[in-house]
Amino acid sequence: MKKYIIFLFLSIFVWTFPQAQAAPRVDNKAEGKRLCQLGRYSEAKPFLEKAIRQNPRSGALWYMAIVKQHLYDFDGAIEALESYMPALSSDEWLNRADSLMTVLQICQRAYDHCQDVVIIDSLRASREDFFTYYRLGAESGRIQSDEGEPYFENLAADYQIFSTGCGLEDRHRFQGEWDERQPVNGIGSEQFSIINPFLRTDGETLYFASDSIPGMGGFDIYRTTYNPDVNAYYDPERLGMPFNSPYDDYMMSIDETHQVGWWATNRNAPADSVTIYLFLLDDDPLYLDDPTPSRARIDNIAETWREKGGYASLIAELKEAPQEIVEDTRLHIVINDDKIYTSEDQFRNSDALKAYQKSVDVELLIAEKETDLASLRSEYAKASAANKKTLEPRIKRAEDSLFDLYAQLNEAVLRYRRLEQ
């Protein structure tokens, strides 16, 4: 009887106690894909590994390639993609796989030649106004803002360069007046964005960011130099790691005075934020003998230091560096070695003033014509033999027009100087 009561009690307990629910079966591929698309790559990896063990030809291999790319395991990413490609049949997916393979190979080469950069400081900033945190010495120019979009202005405040979204434009200031913005020759695309230009003090070395394909992923930083023979820039080159990454990398800026540089990236940063890195400039760069994901990702800036204890004194000096120089915007009209006018009101002779004003108009026209001629010469360099014959008389007319304008300018300058003696 006692055993019966115990049995009855246990039966009632079992039936009335909330039943333990069996854990729902996890779709490893779906969960790995979800986490991958959220950018939670480390969390996605074990789910994708399980999915691949269950089905070695699973589409999880595609997401595993992307996961390993962002974890800087480029060999593993290439291996995963190679394992997946035989299962593809549609041209669309084959093209996508080929594009990703190119990206992975670019990343692998950059990783194998990762630069040994000394990063002395970092800070977190909003993606919208990160450039306001760059503290450049005044000699290196200024990063200004036009309706929230950054543009570069040089030390003398007589040159500016802007992004148009798919290209760059610049303008010069002559005699206190800005000319019209003109396209920057050699920099432009109908397919990709081009943003955040910065020109070094040599007036020739230009940096910008672009999401052009193929790249390492997102925006990459590019560098190019000016070719005065054709008034255009050479083909840009993509910077390597750690400056670029599978993430977005923006705006390289160089402080020549303190021999440091700045760049921003959204790796190691939450959404809508970027990390700004401050590094020592090295014109003869060193490269890591044995690159690691930690160094390429910049997990810890102290790993890059060559001085024990860091660079606090240099950082403090940079924080005190002047950011703006108030430019003398007055005119500088040279009459002779002993007389320089800073205003049109100083002209005593009305004909001299008219000659000066004509010289200003001619200077602006010369700048416009020089841009047109440079475009023609650039077009000529790429043209077929038949098109070159068509372009040759146009170039000759442009050269003759410029020659005439230079003569007019010289005549006007000599005239106002002579009349004001």
Side-chain angles (χ1 to χ4, degrees):
M1 182 68 179
K2 183 176 181 181
K3 291 181 179 180
Y4 174 77
I5 293 172
I6 293 173
F7 174 77
L8 181 62
F9 174 78
L10 290 174
S11 299
I12 295 171
F13 176 80
V14 168
W15 283 103
T16 57
F17 192 80
Q19 297 296 304
Q21 297 295 319
R25 183 175 179 179
V26 175
D27 185 333
N28 291 306
K29 176 186 170 183
E31 183 64 8
K33 173 183 175 180
R34 184 184 72 85
L35 293 168
C36 175
Q37 291 174 333
L38 290 173
R40 294 158 62 179
Y41 302 110
S42 296
E43 297 174 56
K45 185 179 177 183
F47 290 100
L48 296 172
E49 287 174 336
K50 291 177 183 177
I52 294 167
R53 283 197 296 269
Q54 293 165 355
N55 178 6
R57 293 168 62 86
S58 167
L61 286 163
W62 172 265
Y63 296 100
M64 179 62 82
I66 296 173
V67 162
K68 290 191 174 184
Q69 173 196 9
H70 288 83
L71 296 178
Y72 286 66
D73 178 8
F74 302 111
D75 282 335
I78 291 171
E79 181 181 352
L81 187 57
E82 286 176 339
S83 298
Y84 183 51
M85 290 179 76
L88 300 176
S89 57
S90 72
D91 290 341
E92 178 186 355
W93 270 98
L94 285 168
N95 290 334
R96 290 179 65 182
D98 285 339
S99 296
L100 178 57
M101 181 63 75
T102 301
V103 169
L104 295 176
Q105 290 169 344
I106 290 172
C107 289
Q108 179 66 73
R109 289 193 295 270
Y111 178 79
D112 290 340
H113 297 85
C114 185
Q115 191 171 328
D116 185 8
V117 179
V118 177
I119 300 170
I120 64 175
D121 198 14
S122 65
L123 61 95
R124 186 70 49 75
S126 165
R127 172 68 183 88
E128 293 183 356
D129 64 353
F130 72 95
F131 53 90
T132 63
Y133 292 84
Y134 284 38
R135 299 191 63 80
L136 295 166
E139 296 84 353
S140 299
R142 293 165 289 281
I143 301 171
Q144 307 279 50
S145 175
D146 179 17
E147 297 183 354
E149 290 298 319
Y151 67 90
F152 171 78
E153 181 179 81
N154 67 348
L155 167 66
D158 60 6
Y159 177 78
Q160 296 172 340
I161 184 167
F162 307 80
S163 166
T164 64
C166 58
L168 300 177
E169 291 181 344
D170 63 3
R171 65 178 181 176
H172 297 79
R173 190 176 68 172
F174 297 101
Q175 303 290 350
E177 298 290 333
W178 287 103
D179 63 7
E180 294 295 322
R181 287 164 54 164
Q182 300 291 334
V184 174
N185 292 326
I187 309 294
S189 170
E190 295 181 356
Q191 298 174 299
F192 310 117
S193 299
I194 296 175
I195 60 173
N196 301 346
F198 183 89
L199 189 67
R200 291 187 64 166
T201 56
D202 61 9
E204 297 181 350
T205 306
L206 175 69
Y207 295 94
F208 61 86
S210 177
D211 58 356
S212 64
I213 298 173
M216 292 191 202
F219 280 90
D220 292 330
I221 300 170
Y222 289 80
R223 175 178 56 208
T224 181
T225 54
Y226 183 70
N227 180 357
D229 293 335
V230 296
N231 189 28
Y233 283 91
Y234 290 104
D235 290 341
E237 61 175 346
R238 183 190 306 104
L239 299 188
M241 290 187 181
F243 301 114
N244 284 320
S245 71
Y247 298 83
D248 288 324
D249 301 281
Y250 317 96
M251 187 170 273
M252 174 74 72
S253 298
I254 303 299
D255 184 335
E256 308 282 358
T257 303
H258 300 95
Q259 288 293 286
V260 296
W262 305 74
W263 96 94
T265 174
N266 67 359
R267 78 187 93 162
N268 307 328
D272 300 323
S273 298
V274 298
T275 301
I276 301 172
Y277 289 110
L278 174 63
F279 67 98
L280 296 184
L281 190 62
D282 192 349
D283 289 326
D284 295 313
L286 301 174
Y287 295 88
L288 295 170
D289 293 330
D290 187 18
T292 63
S294 177
R295 285 297 301 271
R297 279 194 306 259
I298 318 174
D299 291 345
N300 181 2
I301 65 172
E303 288 182 337
T304 73
W305 293 351
R306 296 174 193 162
E307 291 185 11
K308 190 175 181 179
Y311 300 82
S313 59
L314 176 56
I315 294 170
E317 181 181 346
L318 289 167
K319 289 180 178 178
E320 297 300 322
Q323 298 301 293
E324 298 287 344
I325 288 181
V326 178
E327 298 294 333
D328 183 358
T329 58
R330 296 175 299 173
L331 300 178
H332 288 76
I333 308 169
V334 178
I335 304 300
N336 55 42
D337 291 342
D338 301 318
K339 187 186 296 184
I340 297 176
Y341 292 170
T342 57
S343 168
E344 292 184 3
D345 294 337
Q346 292 176 268
F347 278 94
R348 296 168 297 158
N349 186 293
S350 60
D351 289 336
L353 176 59
K354 291 178 182 178
Y356 165 71
Q357 291 171 338
K358 179 180 179 180
S359 74
V360 173
D361 292 339
V362 172
E363 278 187 335
L364 293 173
L365 192 55
I366 285 173
E368 180 182 336
K369 295 296 183 182
E370 284 180 337
T371 299
D372 293 342
L373 178 58
S375 296
L376 286 171
R377 286 173 173 167
S378 179
E379 185 179 350
Y380 182 86
K382 302 174 184 177
S384 64
N387 288 336
K388 283 183 177 180
K389 290 184 178 180
T390 304
L391 288 169
E392 283 171 358
R394 293 175 60 191
I395 292 173
K396 180 66 168 58
R397 287 195 297 271
E399 290 174 340
D400 291 344
S401 176
L402 264 176
F403 183 81
D404 181 60
L405 287 172
Y406 283 125
Q408 292 181 40
L409 176 62
N410 186 57
E411 180 183 351
V413 171
L414 290 176
R415 178 172 173 76
Y416 73 66
R417 286 178 177 174
R418 184 179 67 253
L419 293 172
E420 284 296 304
Q421 295 295 336

